[in-house]
Amino acid sequence: MSATRDESTQTEGGSVGDTNEMTESAQQEGGEVMADEPAPLPVDRVFELLKNQRRREVLRYLETADDETVSLSDLAEHIAAIENDTTVQAISSSERKRVYVGLYQCHLPKMDDMNVVAFDQNRGTISLGLNADQLEEFLDIGDDEGRPWPRYYAGLAAGGTALYGLALIVPAVSVGVVVPVVLVAFACCAIANEYVDRQTDEQSTV
């Protein structure tokens, strides 16, 4: 009778042990799954990363590339062509080198640290990282390409023409006042345009 009980206890104990092993295994597997999920990036770090136009171009290029992994050389040529408003075939060696060095030394390591890209410095290859998807909704925010400077100038021209016509019709409005006002407005717009362009160039090289 006691032997039967011992056998029953061992059998039950074995079942409990197997159950515990299965539970621990499941917990370990679950922990591995959770570890593979990327942690949300802080919004301030996202905007810090994307405020630079060159880093935005890196992500755009990787997202539209035919291959998952691209070479640093091809990426540098692509971005250099965009920054100099020309084609890849027409860029100079100095233009390509300037972008290449900036990407290699600054931008790509910073993006790799945030797991936005996977940058292999030895092989000179880049691919999208686990956190890249988190940047998609922010990618086009603050893009300088969307600033409508031609519209600003066209609006000033239209406003200046209207004021000049009004000055010719209404004696109370002096042409001598309208002309300087319009010229000053154009000058301010031109200065703002130049300032923004310089800021964009500086950010591209940081």
Side-chain angles (χ1 to χ4, degrees), residues 21-147:
E21 290 178 2
M22 292 175 63
T23 302
E24 292 175 359
S25 176
Q27 290 176 346
Q28 291 176 354
E29 292 178 357
E32 291 176 355
V33 171
M34 292 296 292
D36 289 338
E37 295 181 0
L41 292 173
V43 176
D44 59 335
R45 295 200 66 190
V46 170
F47 282 103
E48 175 68 22
L49 185 73
L50 294 181
K51 74 176 184 179
N52 182 275
Q53 184 178 354
R54 190 170 286 179
R55 292 195 283 266
R56 295 197 300 270
E57 294 299 343
V58 169
L59 291 174
R60 291 193 184 100
Y61 184 79
L62 291 174
E63 289 178 351
T64 58
D66 294 332
D67 299 324
E68 292 184 359
T69 301
V70 303
S71 69
L72 176 55
S73 178
D74 290 344
L75 176 61
E77 290 179 348
H78 173 79
I79 295 179
I82 292 176
E83 292 183 356
N84 293 279
D85 194 23
T86 186
T87 63
V88 171
Q89 293 75 17
I91 60 174
S92 65
S93 59
S94 61
E95 291 170 342
R96 176 188 175 278
K97 182 178 180 180
R98 183 173 64 250
V99 176
Y100 186 102
V101 172
L103 290 173
Y104 183 88
Q105 294 183 348
C106 177
H107 301 296
L108 292 175
K110 181 177 293 187
M111 298 174 78
D112 184 79
D113 289 342
M114 294 177 62
N115 206 11
V116 172
V117 303
F119 177 39
D120 189 327
Q121 290 183 315
N122 294 326
R123 296 183 178 181
T125 58
I126 310 101
S127 59
L128 288 173
L130 293 176
N131 290 332
D133 290 342
Q134 300 185 41
L135 275 64
E136 287 184 1
E137 62 178 309
F138 304 103
L139 188 56
D140 293 324
I141 294 179
D143 199 336
D144 294 320
E145 293 177 357
R147 185 169 282 105

